[in-house]
């Protein structure tokens, strides 16, 4: 059999294979990019474009995309979501494919804030179709699916985040507790709280009304002080530990001469009844946002289990 032993021929064959591989790779990349643009155009057709001549005139006057994005952000911060979305929708028609995905993320945020959860979800899924590992989109989609009670989808997102080496402890604890709560699975709630101490407040809020004695017997003095807002408005607390005694003494239910480690409780113990009361606020340890209401998720930065109790003395309402 005749064999080619010329080294030059082998080199030519090798280079030809490299060129063919490069051409195939470029073709597939181009095809993938065309598919992205095609899906994006189909997606854009789902949205109703608002007739805003002011915004369209800004685009026609060649105002930069960055300037329009800042303007849309300004409207969003003012709560004028309609105007903000109008700018994003017009920009979506007049931007490059890469810019469109940044605009879609902004739109998803605005739709979420405005309460249009399904539209927010559609925008996020369109982003993830093109960029499946885009962290910002995954994080917001987790929150949107939470609002829509799409718990199976939330589990899928957690799996993706784990693959990206993102710490999902809080998300896992949060999701598992919600599922157990809606099933009214007391055993599962107890098990989860042992595995995830960050769920202690949720655990107490769950059992305090259905089995208060269980909480009164289990809770430590330190935990009572940390969650004083829960116990402050409960009448007839049993004097099972010093924290409960401090609360009862501050409310003038009993007399106690010991000194409380909580300054506000000690002041109330010293004041006559009806002069002052306690008010509670919650500060996010991640972004320092202050809220009058407790939530598992900070409404400002979206961090889970980040609220810390702040205690204030106020004048009693007569």
């Amino acid at each position: 059999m005749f064999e080619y032993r010329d080294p030059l021929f082998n080199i030519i064959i090798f280079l030809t294979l490299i060129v063919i591989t490069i051409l195939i790779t470029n073709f597939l990349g181009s095809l993938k990019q065309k598919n992205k643009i095609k899906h994006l155009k189909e997606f854009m057709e789902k949205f109703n474009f608002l007739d805003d001549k002011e915004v369209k005139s800004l685009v026609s006057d060649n105002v930069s995309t960055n300037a329009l994005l800042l303007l849309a952000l300004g409207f969003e911060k003012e709560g004028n979501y309609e105007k903000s979305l109008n700018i994003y929708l017009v920009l979506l028609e007049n931007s490059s494919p890469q810019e469109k995905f940044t605009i879609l993320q902004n739109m998803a945020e605005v739709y979420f804030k405005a309460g249009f959860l399904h539209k927010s979800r559609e925008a996020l899924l369109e982003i993830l179709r093109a960029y499946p590992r885009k962290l910002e989109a995954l994080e917001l989609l987790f929150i949107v699916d939470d609002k829509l009670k799409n718990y199976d989808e939330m589990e899928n997102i957690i799996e993706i985040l784990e693959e990206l080496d993102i710490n999902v402890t809080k998300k896992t604890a949060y999701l598992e507790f919600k599922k157990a709560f809606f099933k009214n699975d007391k055993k599962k709630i107890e098990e989860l709280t042992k595995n995830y101490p960050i769920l202690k407040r949720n655990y107490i809020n769950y059992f305090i009304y259905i089995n208060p004695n269980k909480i009164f017997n289990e809770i430590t003095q330190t935990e009572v002080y940390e969650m004083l807002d829960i116990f402050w408005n409960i009448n007839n607390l049993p004097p099972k530990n010093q924290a409960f005694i401090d609360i009862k003494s501050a409310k003038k239910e009993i007399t106690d001469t010991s000194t409380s480690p909580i300054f506000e409780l000690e002041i109330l113990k010293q004041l006559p009844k009806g002069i002052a009361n306690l008010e509670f606020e919650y500060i996010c340890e991640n972004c320092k946002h202050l809220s009058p209401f407790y939530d598992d998720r900070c409404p400002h930065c979206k961090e889970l289990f980040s609220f810390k109790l702040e205690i204030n003395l106020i004048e009693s309402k007569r």
Side-chain angles (χ1 to χ4, degrees), residues 117-118 121-122 125 140-158 174-175 178-179 182:
L117 299 179
H118 289 286
R121 192 170 193 275
E122 284 182 23
L125 289 175
L140 183 55
L141 184 59
F142 184 84
I143 299 170
V144 172
D145 278 332
D146 179 20
K147 298 288 186 183
L148 294 172
K149 296 182 172 57
N150 294 335
Y151 297 142
D152 290 341
E153 297 300 327
M154 292 170 73
E155 284 183 354
N156 293 336
I157 294 169
I158 287 175
Y174 175 79
L175 176 57
K178 290 202 82 168
K179 288 160 62 178
F182 284 113

Side-chain angles (χ1 to χ4, degrees), residues 8-19:
L8 183 60
F9 177 78
N10 292 333
I11 292 171
I12 292 171
I13 292 295
F14 177 69
L15 291 175
T16 302
L17 289 172
I18 291 175
V19 170

Side-chain angles (χ1 to χ4, degrees), residues 128 131-135 138 141 153-166 168:
L128 292 168
Y131 303 99
R133 292 171 173 258
K134 191 168 179 60
L135 184 59
L138 287 167
L141 184 59
E153 297 300 327
M154 292 170 73
E155 284 183 354
N156 293 336
I157 294 169
I158 287 175
E159 289 178 9
I160 295 170
L161 292 173
E162 280 184 306
E163 291 177 4
L164 297 175
D165 291 326
I166 305 297
V168 294

Side-chain angles (χ1 to χ4, degrees), residues 174-235:
Y174 175 79
L175 176 57
E176 292 302 317
F177 187 91
K178 290 202 82 168
K179 288 160 62 178
F181 178 84
F182 284 113
K183 291 178 182 177
N184 201 25
D185 190 339
K186 299 179 181 65
K187 186 176 179 181
K188 182 66 174 178
I189 287 173
E190 291 190 71
E191 179 187 321
L192 286 168
T193 306
K194 288 176 183 176
N195 294 331
Y196 300 102
I198 54 176
L199 292 173
K200 189 69 176 186
R201 184 184 180 94
N202 303 64
Y203 170 85
I204 290 170
N205 270 325
Y206 177 78
F207 280 105
I208 195 68
Y209 296 107
I210 63 174
N211 190 356
N213 287 329
K214 175 181 176 63
I215 298 300
F216 297 151
N217 290 326
E218 292 179 355
I219 197 161
T220 66
Q221 181 173 311
T222 301
E223 288 171 339
V224 174
Y225 290 136
E226 288 176 349
M227 291 173 269
L228 182 61
D229 55 318
I230 295 176
F231 297 97
W232 180 250
N233 292 315
I234 295 177
N235 295 321

